[in-house]
Amino acid sequence: QVQLVESGGGLVQPGDTLRLSCAASGTIFTMNTMSWYRQAPGKERELVASIPNRGRTNYADSVKDRFTISRDNAKNTVYLQMNSLKPDDTAVYYCHLEQTPGPFMRFDRYWGQGTQVTVSP
């Protein structure tokens, strides 16, 4: 079983910064992608950024040049550095892990419990 535990959310003002962390525990395979999603009230959950164990990062257009995703494989932890925060960034942020034991094998997907980020004057 895999558990994802997020931390780092909070209430900030426009223009402020926050850093989210997500620690994965349990059986973690090398072939995986860790991601951050967010869901604002009344909206669908959307991908914010993703980072594979190997490969390129991917960002939603709305956060490019403001957010940076990174990971520490030794700690099975993914981070989301959020700069120049805007009120539109207000949402519950969820950590997501997708992994497979190897090529041509099934993918398993896991979600964290979510952490609230509120950007308000």
Side-chain angles (χ1 to χ4, degrees):
Q1 187 66 309
V2 172
Q3 285 191 325
L4 303 175
V5 179
E6 301 111 331
S7 60
L11 171 63
V12 297
Q13 295 185 337
D16 283 354
T17 64
L18 273 179
R19 188 192 194 208
L20 305 183
S21 301
C22 171
S25 61
T27 302
I28 309 298
F29 300 122
T30 300
M31 295 180 65
N32 70 70
T33 295
M34 300 191 80
S35 305
W36 288 98
Y37 285 75
R38 68 185 181 186
Q39 188 167 19
K43 295 187 178 180
E44 293 187 354
R45 191 172 298 189
E46 63 174 358
L47 176 67
V48 176
S50 63
I51 182 168
N53 190 37
R54 291 183 179 181
R56 298 176 62 180
T57 56
N58 180 48
Y59 295 94
D61 288 342
S62 59
V63 306
K64 280 181 182 177
D65 301 323
R66 297 190 299 122
F67 291 9
T68 302
I69 190 170
S70 60
R71 60 188 292 166
D72 183 335
N73 290 331
K75 297 181 179 179
N76 288 325
T77 298
V78 63
Y79 305 97
L80 186 68
Q81 178 68 40
M82 304 186 292
N83 300 330
S84 303
L85 282 161
K86 305 175 181 179
D88 283 349
D89 295 318
T90 296
V92 178
Y93 284 70
Y94 296 92
C95 180
H96 180 263
L97 169 68
E98 180 180 80
Q99 65 174 6
T100 180
F104 312 109
M105 300 183 73
R106 78 170 191 276
F107 281 88
D108 292 319
R109 298 168 177 85
Y110 305 91
W111 291 96
Q113 81 284 357
T115 185
Q116 177 70 46
V117 172
T118 302
V119 185
S120 179

